[in-house]
Amino acid sequence: MDCINAKFVSQKISKTRWRPVSSASLHQPDIFATGSWDNEDNKISIWSIGEHGNMDDEFEGDPQLLCEYKHNGDVMDLQFLDQERIVTASSTGAVTIFRHHQNSQTLSVAQLWDRAHHYPCDNAPCTGLVCNSPEIVTVGEDGRVILFRADHKGVMRTIENADSSTIHAVTFLRTTEVLTVNSIGQLKLWDFRQQGNEPSQILSLTGDRVPLHCVDRHPNQQHIVATGGQDGMLCIWDVRQGNVPLSLMEAHSAEMWEVHFHPSNTEHLFTCSEDGSLLHWESSTNSSVPSFLQGGRNTSVLSRSAVAPGGGNQSLTSGWLSGDSTKGHLETTHMLPSQNLSVNSLDVLDQCLVCGTDGEAIYINRQVPV
Amino acid sequence: MEEVDVEPTTTLIPGIDFTHKHLGFVWGPGDILVYETEYKATGAASSGLCCPFVHVVRKDEDIYSPILRKLFNESHHIFVGLQKIKEEVPSKNKKPQFVSISKNYRSVIRACMEELQHIAVSTRDGNLATQYGNQVSILLAVELIWNLCEVLFIEAAPAGALLLHLLDWVRLHKADVDEKAREVLQSESPAEHPAYWDLAISYVLQGRTDEARQILVKQATLQPAARGMFKLLDTLLMKMPVYNPGGTQTLTEFDVNWRHWHEECDRCLQDNSFASNRHLEAICKILVGDEDTLLEQKDLLGTWYHFLVTRLLYSHPTVKPTELHYYAQSSMDMFLDTRGAPEPLDSILLAAFEFDIHQVIKDCSIALNNWWFVAHLTDLLDHCKLLQSHNLHFGSNLREFLLLEYASGLFTHHSLWQLAVDYFDHCPEFGRVYLELQIERVPLDTERKALKVLRICEQRQMAEQVRSICKIMAKRALRNDRLGSALSWSIRAKDAAFATLISERFLQDYCARGTFSDLDLIDNLGSAMLLSDRLTFLGQYREFHKLYGEKRFGEAATLLLSLMTAKIAPRSFWMTLLTDALPLLEQKQVIFSTDQTYELMHCLEELTAGKVIPSLDHPMQDEDIETTKVELLRLALARNLALAIVKEGTVEG
């Protein structure tokens, strides 16, 4: 944990995201954005951990604030649309695109969809968003799924009443297909090519109504998703295989707020939680498939008293597996020094990891062993 | 009642003329609300309209400083760590841990101070700069007091080592010596710098003999004639004994050595060895602890406690903790006599030298405008078992009282309330009650925030608060026509009454529209269905529709009947259920058996005989339609009964 850098920023951080690195350059990411919540005045801020002309040695690696901009309401979600544009979801229901002017180091509002999510006579928080430039999909407490295009003022598509409860997170499966998770433990697939307000598929753990808070798609395998729930459980699903998750692992002792596959090294996965911990999941396996994708077997290897899913799982996954699943081994490492305030968000890119907490600190690790 | 310790300060509220108006006020956890009343003093003329404003008077401004927020956050972390030590280490020997925690607290204060200083210098706004400057000086004082308390109470060094710690303390807080040193040493000719002798003497005053010797060498090379004199002083400085607590030398041996050295210095003075150089003579006089010479260096010493430590260093290096207060008092009197009355900081430090911890805490509470310092220091001292004998006339004990005050202040802050929770957790007597009262009042803007608050309550088995938060969220969802969310929240709260209410809404919606909304939720109720009878009915009734949709008529019919016979369905809904039975009765094959048909008939009779014709669901409907419906049902039932008898008879035959 020596390589971890902590900075106190005087605001509770709800979201942290690395600015994408252009594929041509071999640089490590050096710019990230944060969003705050629960402040009287919330902000989005851009930080740099890169080299600066007048940087003293003592500030080495310490993130420097480049610019910030007032944000109406809590920042509920935040994503980079591209190198210059940032999309935020607000607790007021607004969806905003900010532009980061890198020459002058300023931020400005490029596009604002006010009250995109709303109740008949009140604001409804927008809880999550996902970008696939130029498309933006947002979800909210009002149960709507809305599709925007960055270059269009209007709304491209709204799925009214997509959910009777709150939708907590959304991710793209394919260019026309998104997956949402809600507060009664369901995963719903939506295909924008289909008209109507019905999901094309609903998955859920049978008999389980534990709210799901986050979802991330496997970077290479579009049908594999990871979800995290209120009970801190990590689930890996194959959306083609219905109601039984590939594996189910006890990860945290409270709400899991985010889960992320490593974008280039998919044997690694990261989760953070209300219990104040950030976990690094590493599967060392002989087969080419990470062990947490290998079904119920690995759960017995886990020291974290994992819960094995129902029987028959092995046969379900064996067709998908080519290698020997018994060789799978999963290791988890705590990434943060012990503290008890919620880790609300994390992002990982290359060897760099950034996370933000309710303890008003940003932690940065530039030597993640991946 | 006890007397007040200091006269309370008066705060004037702009816009209110207090000479003519009476003020009313209400206490809040952190703030006070003040308003003008309409009360008129007798004889006073009516002075027009009342001021329409309610004023918020805030005592603690620091909590809103963005930089001090870092102090609160970082120290929270240390605080939580300290509370864990108690459980983990059973042995008595925790002192090193406590000292290291104390140092952590101080380094956080220092970091904050440096940042404030940095900002105070760079800001262009004069008012802000003054404000930051004030905060820096407060933090400086806080750190000074904390450090002294650390040395005296936590470290509790014995004679010998005590003075070494005090020296470190003075050196750390008299940092301008190092600044001066940099300035002098970087000049072209240090020995001719105007501050040269001040620097040399400052080094000696702080007992930094090596550095003093190094700088004296520079002067010696300039004055070859006086080389012998410089050499002599150099030897004296070099030979000055320093106690080494970890070494083999006992305190008595050190004392003997020191006395020899002291006599040697004294001899040099008697010999007039330094008579030709007043600076060197002054240094030598300092070495023998000559009080008049020390007092001549008032400007270099700066404070009475620096004077105290220097005086101890050169007169009583083996001072015992119990003797400290005597020297402290006399040093303060000697040093301050010309400068007037002691300031609050002076009396706080003096109280510390007297080992009067309670006086220190009390004076700090009065002098400082927030509870951060006293709460954390008291907590640490309490962990060191230094506060046991003290009881308050109110609340539980001093530690808990101060922690509660501090945490309550945090809770009034829109964002820092989360930190307060851990402080309340570690107040065994009243913490829970405070938390219960405060947590319900956290504004819940989003479900995510509600979940965080709920998690806090659930971890502490605060069932009452869990219920109330869920109810707030359920009501809000209901107001916004989000039946599904409302139901989820009442299920989480296990609030049967509210679940019933929402189930009714679902059923009403169904009767109005003929379709169910929020199927994703209702189809997935699982065991949550058992929370309330009405919810059970809702789930079962939906199950009936599902079976019917899948053309599993037999099962559907059995379920429908059981809903009535097992009294799961509310009576008001029976007519709807019976109407639902109509298409099943009209099917070609026989679905309801004879027994089942009798039961259905019984239900219908029960409904009509009691004259409770379901007017609740269809209040505006014509009596005629109801009668027709009943007639239709009777006909269908009779026909079904006939068919069933025939069919059952046939099977038997």
Side-chain angles (χ1 to χ4, degrees):
Chain A
M1 284 175 198
D2 299 334
C3 41
I4 283 215
N5 217 312
K7 185 176 177 79
F8 286 84
V9 293
S10 300
Q11 49 189 341
K12 293 198 276 195
I13 297 297
S14 56
K15 287 289 157 185
T16 55
R17 293 286 177 260
W18 289 111
R19 186 176 75 185
V21 183
S22 61
S23 51
S25 74
L26 293 169
H27 284 297
Q28 288 268 323
D30 58 349
I31 306 274
F32 64 91
T34 61
S36 74
W37 79 285
D38 208 22
N39 238 338
E40 267 175 350
D41 294 309
N42 290 294
K43 287 178 209 157
I44 66 161
S45 315
I46 310 280
W47 306 81
S48 163
I49 54 162
E51 310 305 323
H52 281 267
N54 55 353
M55 202 151 67
D56 298 334
D57 275 356
E58 58 177 312
F59 292 121
E60 177 81 58
D62 205 23
Q64 303 292 305
L65 182 68
L66 293 180
C67 51
E68 54 186 16
Y69 200 90
K70 189 177 179 309
H71 187 269
N72 269 328
D74 295 348
V75 178
M76 299 293 285
D77 203 353
L78 181 153
Q79 300 286 344
F80 274 90
L81 187 67
D82 51 36
Q83 293 247 321
E84 288 190 330
R85 287 180 295 175
I86 300 157
V87 192
T88 65
S90 164
S91 60
T92 64
V95 177
T96 318
I97 302 182
F98 292 92
R99 186 178 289 278
H100 175 211
H101 306 276
Q102 289 169 39
N103 296 329
S104 57
Q105 290 304 353
T106 51
L107 279 164
S108 64
V109 176
Q111 177 75 271
L112 170 69
W113 290 282
D114 205 21
R115 295 192 81 219
H117 290 268
H118 61 273
Y119 299 125
C121 39
D122 202 359
N123 290 337
C126 176
T127 53
L129 67 91
V130 65
C131 299
N132 187 7
S133 186
E135 285 178 330
I136 301 161
V137 177
T138 66
V139 293
E141 282 185 19
D142 58 355
R144 285 189 182 86
V145 176
I146 308 181
L147 173 70
F148 300 98
R149 276 178 70 102
D151 41 7
H152 278 251
K153 266 203 152 164
V155 172
M156 302 303 289
R157 171 90 187 269
T158 303
I159 303 175
E160 296 281 346
N161 259 324
D163 211 305
S164 58
S165 49
T166 296
I167 309 181
H168 283 142
V170 58
T171 187
F172 267 105
L173 285 188
R174 276 180 259 269
T175 47
T176 59
E177 225 176 15
V178 293
L179 182 129
T180 59
V181 293
N182 68 12
S183 65
I184 52 170
Q186 294 167 327
L187 292 81
K188 293 185 181 176
L189 259 77
W190 305 90
D191 192 336
F192 285 117
R193 290 170 301 189
Q194 287 172 13
Q195 293 306 309
N197 292 346
E198 293 302 314
S200 54
Q201 199 182 344
I202 299 184
L203 309 179
S204 68
L205 266 180
T206 344
D208 207 355
R209 302 182 69 257
V210 179
L212 294 173
H213 289 299
C214 51
V215 60
D216 191 34
R217 194 201 70 183
H218 191 282
N220 308 327
Q221 289 167 299
Q222 296 178 332
H223 50 94
I224 302 289
V225 292
T227 62
Q230 181 161 290
D231 51 359
M233 205 75 88
L234 171 67
C235 271
I236 311 282
W237 304 77
D238 183 337
V239 294
R240 303 171 306 185
Q241 288 186 8
N243 274 349
V244 188
L246 291 178
S247 53
L248 189 63
M249 289 158 278
E250 211 168 85
H252 297 277
S253 59
E255 286 86 354
M256 186 191 293
W257 292 126
E258 281 193 19
V259 54
H260 289 280
F261 283 102
H262 191 277
S264 51
N265 205 336
T266 53
E267 272 146 52
H268 298 262
L269 185 127
F270 300 84
T271 59
C272 65
S273 156
E274 179 73 21
D275 67 8
S277 61
L278 196 162
L279 286 177
H280 175 192
W281 303 72
E282 181 180 8
S283 66
S284 52
T285 167
N286 294 338
S287 74
S288 57
V289 183
S291 55
F292 45 75
L293 301 185
Q294 291 181 353
R297 250 332 164 82
N298 61 49
T299 53
S300 57
V301 186
L302 261 180
S303 56
R304 312 187 63 80
S305 66
V307 177
N313 202 17
Q314 197 62 35
S315 60
L316 268 171
T317 54
S318 56
W320 174 67
L321 282 175
S322 51
D324 180 3
S325 70
T326 56
K327 295 263 167 66
H329 183 72
L330 193 55
E331 261 178 38
T332 56
T333 329
H334 280 276
M335 296 282 289
L336 287 185
S338 87
Q339 55 112 26
N340 63 349
L341 289 167
S342 171
V343 184
N344 293 324
S345 178
L346 76 94
D347 197 22
V348 62
L349 192 57
D350 274 337
Q351 282 195 301
C352 297
L353 181 137
V354 59
C355 69
T357 71
D358 277 345
E360 308 193 340
I362 299 172
Y363 294 88
I364 290 159
N365 186 338
R366 295 205 274 183
Q367 284 159 314
V368 179
V370 291
Chain B
M1 222 174 118
E2 287 185 57
E3 300 246 328
V4 286
D5 293 284
V6 284
E7 278 303 308
T9 53
T10 308
T11 308
L12 288 180
I13 293 155
I16 290 187
D17 179 11
F18 68 94
T19 53
H20 293 290
K21 290 286 187 177
H22 277 79
L23 292 184
F25 74 95
V26 181
W27 289 107
D31 307 336
I32 304 171
L33 295 181
V34 180
Y35 52 89
E36 208 170 275
T37 62
E38 288 194 35
Y39 175 83
K40 288 184 191 75
T42 44
S46 170
S47 50
L49 287 167
C50 231
C51 171
F53 297 111
V54 173
H55 301 264
V56 180
V57 181
R58 185 167 285 163
K59 178 169 171 261
D60 183 5
E61 269 290 306
D62 290 349
I63 206 169
Y64 292 91
S65 150
I67 294 159
L68 290 178
R69 269 174 85 161
K70 299 180 187 182
L71 177 70
F72 301 141
N73 274 295
E74 283 196 75
S75 52
H76 164 263
H77 187 69
I78 302 171
F79 173 83
V80 173
L82 171 61
Q83 313 308 311
K84 281 184 192 147
I85 284 186
K86 206 175 183 176
E87 302 144 25
E88 285 164 11
V89 186
S91 79
K92 269 198 268 175
N93 206 359
K94 297 178 195 166
K95 199 163 93 177
Q97 271 178 301
F98 289 139
V99 171
S100 119
I101 282 181
S102 175
K103 286 185 173 152
N104 285 345
Y105 275 129
R106 286 200 294 119
S107 78
V108 172
I109 302 176
R110 288 220 148 235
C112 249
M113 201 158 65
E114 275 162 25
E115 191 170 349
L116 273 171
Q117 222 149 15
H118 187 71
I119 289 190
V121 172
S122 63
T123 187
R124 284 186 207 125
D125 184 338
N127 280 339
L128 265 183
T130 327
Q131 194 191 324
Y132 289 136
N134 288 341
Q135 284 177 343
V136 168
S137 54
I138 289 171
L139 285 183
L140 258 173
V142 160
E143 210 260 338
L144 179 79
I145 300 168
W146 190 302
N147 195 351
L148 184 63
C149 291
E150 179 185 308
V151 168
L152 297 178
F153 308 141
I154 303 168
E155 193 92 57
L162 174 65
L163 182 71
L164 299 177
H165 283 297
L166 287 176
L167 269 176
D168 285 337
W169 173 63
V170 158
R171 286 171 193 162
L172 186 64
H173 293 93
K174 189 90 175 94
D176 61 344
V177 175
D178 295 300
E179 263 168 55
K180 206 189 290 167
R182 221 171 297 132
E183 190 188 313
V184 170
L185 292 172
Q186 279 170 358
S187 68
E188 266 176 44
S189 164
E192 284 163 356
H193 194 279
Y196 171 83
W197 283 109
D198 281 353
L199 177 61
I201 291 175
S202 295
Y203 275 144
V204 177
L205 290 173
Q206 293 196 351
R208 295 156 74 167
T209 47
D210 289 342
E211 283 151 296
R213 284 172 61 205
Q214 278 169 18
I215 196 151
L216 284 172
V217 168
K218 294 186 192 300
Q219 191 72 22
T221 49
L222 282 186
Q223 302 183 24
R227 185 170 292 165
M229 205 160 48
F230 276 99
K231 182 77 193 152
L232 180 61
L233 187 64
D234 188 65
T235 320
L236 286 180
L237 284 170
M238 184 186 67
K239 280 175 30 190
M240 177 178 155
V242 177
Y243 180 65
N244 177 10
T248 50
Q249 191 185 40
T250 66
L251 194 62
T252 329
E253 283 166 355
F254 165 74
D255 198 36
V256 172
N257 277 346
W258 184 81
R259 275 172 205 288
H260 278 298
W261 173 80
H262 196 257
E263 278 162 21
E264 198 179 333
C265 295
D266 209 26
R267 254 197 318 278
C268 292
L269 270 185
Q270 306 299 327
D271 294 351
N272 287 330
S273 306
F274 302 112
S276 58
N277 187 319
R278 64 183 175 92
H279 295 298
L280 297 189
E281 186 168 43
I283 290 177
C284 192
K285 278 187 175 169
I286 293 170
L287 294 186
V288 296
D290 183 72
E291 279 163 6
D292 293 331
T293 317
L294 284 177
L295 285 172
E296 280 165 24
Q297 308 298 339
K298 252 183 192 172
D299 288 333
L300 293 181
L301 288 165
T303 56
W304 64 269
Y305 44 88
H306 191 337
F307 170 60
L308 162 71
V309 175
T310 310
R311 187 177 158 215
L312 291 174
L313 173 67
Y314 293 116
S315 328
H316 312 279
T318 57
V319 63
K320 295 189 191 103
T322 46
E323 300 162 348
L324 262 183
H325 71 98
Y326 160 72
Y327 293 111
Q329 182 70 58
S330 61
S331 299
M332 191 167 104
D333 293 344
M334 277 193 238
F335 197 86
L336 290 184
D337 62 352
T338 51
R339 296 197 184 187
E343 289 185 21
L345 177 63
D346 298 321
S347 25
I348 293 169
L349 293 175
L350 190 63
F353 282 122
E354 285 166 354
F355 285 83
D356 189 345
I357 296 178
H358 293 106
Q359 193 63 38
V360 173
I361 291 165
K362 187 174 167 185
D363 286 353
C364 289
S365 308
I366 294 169
L368 298 168
N369 59 345
N370 77 61
W371 296 104
W372 179 87
F373 172 65
V374 276
H376 286 89
L377 182 66
T378 309
D379 172 59
L380 180 58
L381 295 177
D382 189 67
H383 277 274
C384 302
K385 307 265 180 260
L386 289 164
L387 287 170
Q388 273 160 331
S389 60
H390 197 74
N391 280 315
L392 292 178
H393 309 295
F394 46 89
S396 79
N397 60 34
L398 187 61
R399 169 187 173 273
E400 180 158 329
F401 171 76
L402 294 172
L403 284 179
L404 288 173
E405 285 298 312
Y406 172 64
S408 304
L410 285 182
F411 228 107
T412 60
H413 191 273
H414 50 83
S415 189
L416 294 172
W417 59 272
Q418 265 175 307
L419 299 181
V421 175
D422 286 305
Y423 288 94
F424 284 141
D425 276 352
H426 292 101
C427 293
E429 199 159 340
F430 295 112
R432 168 105 181 178
V433 187
Y434 269 64
L435 182 59
E436 284 174 352
L437 288 174
Q438 301 259 27
I439 199 92
E440 280 185 310
R441 287 160 177 77
V442 175
L444 304 171
D445 315 316
T446 63
E447 287 197 2
R448 198 179 296 168
K449 187 167 176 184
L451 289 173
K452 281 176 183 273
V453 177
L454 267 183
R455 174 62 63 179
I456 289 169
C457 296
E458 282 174 356
Q459 275 169 346
R460 290 159 184 79
Q461 279 94 40
M462 291 159 59
E464 188 61 41
Q465 284 66 32
V466 170
R467 244 196 314 281
S468 115
I469 291 163
C470 288
K471 186 132 192 173
I472 292 169
M473 297 309 286
K475 281 218 143 174
R476 180 181 303 174
L478 196 62
R479 200 176 59 225
N480 289 320
D481 272 334
R482 301 279 300 151
L483 291 187
S485 277
L487 188 55
S488 292
W489 282 111
S490 41
I491 289 172
R492 178 150 182 185
K494 303 205 169 41
D495 185 340
F498 210 67
T500 304
L501 185 84
I502 298 162
S503 309
E504 291 280 8
R505 281 278 302 265
F506 270 116
L507 294 170
Q508 278 171 23
D509 279 7
Y510 170 74
C511 291
R513 289 188 214 142
T515 53
F516 280 105
S517 58
D518 302 335
L519 285 180
D520 52 351
L521 175 75
I522 300 171
D523 286 348
N524 261 295
L525 284 173
S527 59
M529 202 191 281
L530 302 174
L531 178 61
S532 97
D533 291 345
R534 203 52 48 88
L535 190 58
T536 315
F537 170 65
L538 176 68
Q540 298 279 342
Y541 185 52
R542 163 65 191 151
E543 183 69 24
F544 160 75
H545 278 267
K546 240 171 40 184
L547 292 171
Y548 185 83
E550 289 164 12
K551 299 214 185 314
R552 288 153 71 181
F553 296 132
E555 289 161 76
T558 316
L559 181 59
L560 188 70
L561 188 60
S562 72
L563 284 178
M564 282 182 282
T565 51
K567 308 263 185 263
I568 297 170
R571 187 66 77 83
S572 59
F573 214 75
W574 280 23
M575 203 55 199
T576 316
L577 293 181
L578 287 168
T579 323
D580 282 329
L582 258 179
L584 289 170
L585 294 168
E586 300 291 335
Q587 289 290 326
K588 270 178 194 157
Q589 78 265 39
V590 183
I591 293 159
F592 286 104
S593 68
T594 42
D595 289 347
Q596 285 177 320
T597 318
Y598 282 130
E599 278 183 275
L600 274 178
M601 290 167 123
H602 183 71
C603 291
L604 183 63
E605 285 318 304
E606 215 179 300
L607 202 58
T608 47
K611 284 289 172 202
V612 267
I613 288 171
S615 55
L616 277 173
D617 289 343
H618 315 282
M620 308 303 284
Q621 236 155 13
D622 246 340
E623 193 87 352
D624 282 350
I625 298 178
E626 281 309 305
T627 340
T628 326
K629 219 185 225 172
V630 173
E631 289 305 317
L632 266 173
L633 266 170
R634 288 207 172 113
L635 182 63
L637 284 167
R639 276 166 55 185
N640 188 73
L641 184 61
L643 287 171
I645 291 172
V646 171
K647 192 185 168 213
E648 280 162 32
T650 317
V651 169
E652 267 173 33

